[in-house]
Amino acid sequence: MAEKRPETLVADAGLMKGLHTGMGFAAKGMVVAFVVFTILNVDFANSVYQAIRGWIEASLAWYYILIVVFIMAVCFYLMCSRHGSIRLGDDDARPEFSNFSWFAMLFSAGVGIGILFFGVAEPIFYFDNSGAFGYPNNPHADAVGVVDMNMNRAVHAMRVTYFHWGFHAWAIYVIVGLCLAYFGFRKKLPLTLRSSLYPIIGDRIYGHIGHGVDLLAVFGTVFGVATSLGLGVTQMATGLNVLFGIDPGIATQLILILVISIVATLSAVSGVGNGIRIISEWNIWLSVALLAFFLCFGPFKWLLGFFVTSIGDYLWNFIPMGFWTAGTEREIAWQGGWTVFYWGWWISWAPFVGMFIARISRGRTIREFMVGVMFVPTTISFFWLCMFGGNAIYMELMAEGGAGTAGIVELVRAWNLPAALYGTIDGLTELAFLQWLMAALATLLLATWFITSSDSGTLVITTMLSMGNDSPPQRFRIVWGLGEGFVAGVLLLAGGLTALQTASIAAALPISVIMLFMTYGLLKSLSEDNAYVPAKAAA
């Protein structure tokens, strides 16, 4: 398809052997510049990032809403279209990984750490009715008069939670992953973001435009992983405090970042088929054990009934929710702080997660890819969120002092999200050893999910900088793997992690524009792909 060979653009000797020299230096310079700018004056940097984010939320909420709905519609179209039989690779290609390994890596890289961190806190936030943050906790429930903390509001709380973690969100990952896998494996272009633009700009993908697109993806990956790692170790430190009484302060968090970065780097060096796959599979088994605890020690029948009811409610409402645009000032504040924030966060992570999904999906058909990536992780996420959030909501509904007095709502109002998870675990059993064991399991899962996110991110960064080499040089995996941890540690010390998280969300705006061009390029190329043309028509 392409006349140029991407391998001629990477250095064949010297310090940067195996990488595109210009891209390598530009990526490092970009990371250093943003870190230095942030830590020199954290307050000023944060004000700049917040101003950009505030403008986006106030002026472009409609754009984010429409683009996510459009992408989801394209995904469902491709899933059902005649293009579904096309393989992501040669016609005789077959999947590299078993379905279990594939699903395990999809789930671990895509949402694993997020639903453990927010699994209790987010449903409880939407269930609350205090408006403690200056805007309604759940404007969707308030709009229909469901304002008391009762069973109806509980269902509404799960509806909004599913909405932010469901089809709309995963469609973003799906479309980017499909574009990368299709152009990388079927059209034999580099496994990088730039390749999706080939039907539009041709060989210019190997020039400055392509470099800019891939550098933007590197930016989102580095700072997405770094900020998540830095912010997430607060929950792990809380877990260590619960388990061993260790001070959850900065020193503990820095040690955690160091340990996780080293293990994640070793995993990235070993490759997808070894370290990343093995840790992802272990994540699934450990997650099953923790889920079993939440299900069996919680109100079993109530939880299953609540799951069925809340899923039905979500399926009935997710399309109109996707088009809902806030009207009042308080609703606008809520939508910007939650829905638009989530859409921006998913978009900013899309190059990273989409690249990793593509990397592990060679040989599958488009329909198999779409169904597997869209529905399997989503269904698991829904069940997880219902078991975690449902147990916390049940405790609040049945509290002796009345609904909302069990203590978990108060923790979320105080934005002590790490403690909400461990508080729910304590509320499920009075057996001290089991409380300790499940808290240890949750903390271990936090670590292993962070490891899978970090090692996946390292592999994605080095793949893009090596012009699509899906087995990039190991020394660069080491540099970037440890570099992500270093960035997280420096920003944690300087108090700039929240500022960089905001900057990452702002980066979602240009990435979203690129996604539109990628989607157009994919549809254009698929319409010219003869794999789905009947034999007699092709003769």
Side-chain angles (χ1 to χ4, degrees):
M1 182 173 182
E3 297 177 2
K4 294 186 179 181
R5 296 182 62 82
E7 55 266 30
T8 63
L9 301 177
V10 301
D12 56 7
L15 184 65
M16 302 296 286
K17 181 179 179 181
L19 258 65
H20 186 288
T21 304
M23 289 273 290
F25 282 117
K28 292 182 178 67
M30 176 182 64
V31 171
V32 171
F34 267 86
V35 171
V36 170
F37 173 74
T38 301
I39 64 177
L40 284 179
N41 191 331
V42 172
D43 292 337
F44 174 72
N46 192 44
S47 66
V48 172
Y49 302 148
Q50 287 285 6
I52 296 173
R53 176 183 166 186
W55 176 79
I56 290 172
E57 291 176 355
S59 305
L60 296 176
W62 61 271
Y63 167 75
Y64 276 75
I65 290 167
L66 279 181
I67 191 174
V68 173
V69 170
F70 169 73
I71 288 172
M72 186 181 69
V74 171
C75 287
F76 280 111
Y77 159 72
L78 290 175
M79 192 183 305
C80 302
S81 74
R82 56 184 179 177
H83 306 298
S85 60
I86 296 175
R87 287 201 175 272
L88 301 175
D90 298 329
D91 289 337
D92 59 351
R94 292 298 180 268
E96 179 180 359
F97 300 101
S98 68
N99 285 338
F100 177 76
S101 296
W102 187 51
F103 294 144
M105 289 188 283
L106 287 176
F107 186 73
S108 294
V111 296
I113 188 61
I115 62 171
L116 186 54
F117 190 87
F118 289 106
V120 169
E122 190 168 346
I124 284 292
F125 182 91
Y126 302 140
F127 177 68
D128 187 16
N129 61 2
S130 66
F133 291 84
Y135 49 70
N137 289 73
N138 190 340
H140 294 279
D142 294 349
V144 293
V146 183
V147 295
D148 294 329
M149 285 192 281
N150 54 28
M151 186 62 182
N152 284 338
R153 192 170 179 89
V155 173
H156 277 78
M158 293 311 304
R159 180 202 299 177
V160 180
T161 305
Y162 295 153
F163 173 57
H164 288 150
W165 293 88
F167 297 135
H168 292 79
W170 270 92
I172 297 169
Y173 287 171
V174 167
I175 199 68
V176 174
L178 179 61
C179 287
L180 291 168
Y182 177 78
F183 286 104
F185 300 140
R186 187 163 187 86
K187 298 302 181 182
K188 313 304 181 187
L189 289 165
L191 189 62
T192 61
L193 218 62
R194 69 178 75 202
S195 297
S196 302
L197 303 180
Y198 189 87
I200 303 173
I201 62 174
D203 281 344
R204 283 181 292 170
I205 63 170
Y206 299 112
H208 296 306
I209 296 175
H211 298 340
V213 168
D214 284 348
L215 284 173
L216 188 61
V218 170
F219 174 91
T221 302
V222 171
F223 290 113
V225 172
T227 52
S228 294
L229 177 60
L231 295 172
V233 293
T234 60
Q235 190 168 28
M236 294 173 59
T238 299
L240 293 178
N241 179 256
V242 170
L243 295 169
F244 306 110
I246 296 174
D247 178 19
I250 295 293
T252 299
Q253 294 175 33
L254 288 174
I255 292 172
L256 287 171
I257 288 175
L258 176 63
V259 172
I260 289 172
S261 297
I262 292 174
V263 176
T265 301
L266 292 174
S267 176
V269 168
S270 69
V272 175
N274 295 309
I276 296 176
R277 176 186 60 82
I278 293 170
I279 295 175
S280 296
E281 290 178 356
W282 270 103
N283 281 350
I284 296 300
W285 292 119
L286 293 175
S287 299
V288 168
L290 189 59
L291 266 177
F293 168 75
F294 272 79
L295 180 60
C296 296
F297 282 81
F300 184 84
K301 290 178 62 177
W302 185 90
L303 285 171
L304 294 182
F306 186 53
F307 177 66
V308 173
T309 300
S310 59
I311 285 294
D313 180 73
Y314 164 74
L315 292 175
W316 185 259
N317 290 283
F318 83 95
I319 293 179
M321 283 185 73
F323 284 99
W324 181 76
T325 303
T328 68
E329 185 176 340
R330 285 165 55 84
E331 288 178 347
I332 290 172
W334 179 90
Q335 189 168 47
W338 287 95
T339 301
V340 175
F341 170 83
Y342 263 121
W343 288 178
W345 187 247
W346 287 91
I347 290 170
S348 69
W349 271 61
F352 152 45
V353 180
M355 169 76 76
F356 183 73
I357 290 173
R359 171 63 184 82
I360 63 176
S361 301
R362 186 200 304 262
R364 298 185 183 273
T365 66
I366 288 180
R367 184 170 294 110
E368 185 181 6
F369 176 91
M370 302 296 285
V371 172
V373 180
M374 179 75 84
F375 288 100
V376 175
T378 304
T379 302
I380 296 172
S381 298
F382 288 166
F383 189 72
W384 180 286
L385 291 165
C386 188
M387 294 306 103
F388 277 60
N391 268 295
I393 287 173
Y394 183 82
M395 292 176 192
E396 294 292 353
L397 285 172
M398 301 301 169
E400 291 184 4
T405 63
I408 302 173
V409 166
E410 290 299 325
L411 289 172
V412 175
R413 284 177 189 169
W415 208 244
N416 192 356
L417 307 189
L421 170 62
Y422 295 103
T424 305
I425 290 174
D426 287 347
L428 287 174
T429 177
E430 296 181 356
L431 299 174
F433 82 92
L434 192 55
Q435 291 175 344
W436 189 93
L437 183 63
M438 290 300 108
L441 179 57
T443 305
L444 177 61
L445 266 174
L446 282 165
T448 56
W449 270 338
F450 269 126
I451 288 168
T452 53
S453 292
S454 182
D455 58 17
S456 303
T458 299
L459 191 65
V460 166
I461 292 168
T462 49
T463 296
M464 285 188 284
L465 295 180
S466 62
M467 294 299 294
N469 181 1
D470 58 9
S471 184
Q474 291 186 344
R475 64 185 182 280
F476 295 115
R477 297 186 225 178
I478 295 172
V479 169
W480 282 98
L482 296 178
E484 289 167 3
F486 178 77
V487 169
V490 169
L491 293 173
L492 180 64
L493 280 173
L497 280 170
T498 303
L500 258 295
Q501 185 184 41
T502 303
S504 297
I505 298 302
L509 181 59
I511 292 174
S512 70
V513 176
I514 293 171
M515 287 175 59
L516 288 175
F517 285 110
M518 291 172 63
T519 303
Y520 171 76
L522 174 67
L523 294 174
K524 183 176 186 294
S525 186
L526 283 173
S527 68
E528 300 166 356
D529 196 312
N530 61 6
Y532 65 84
V533 178
K536 62 180 182 180

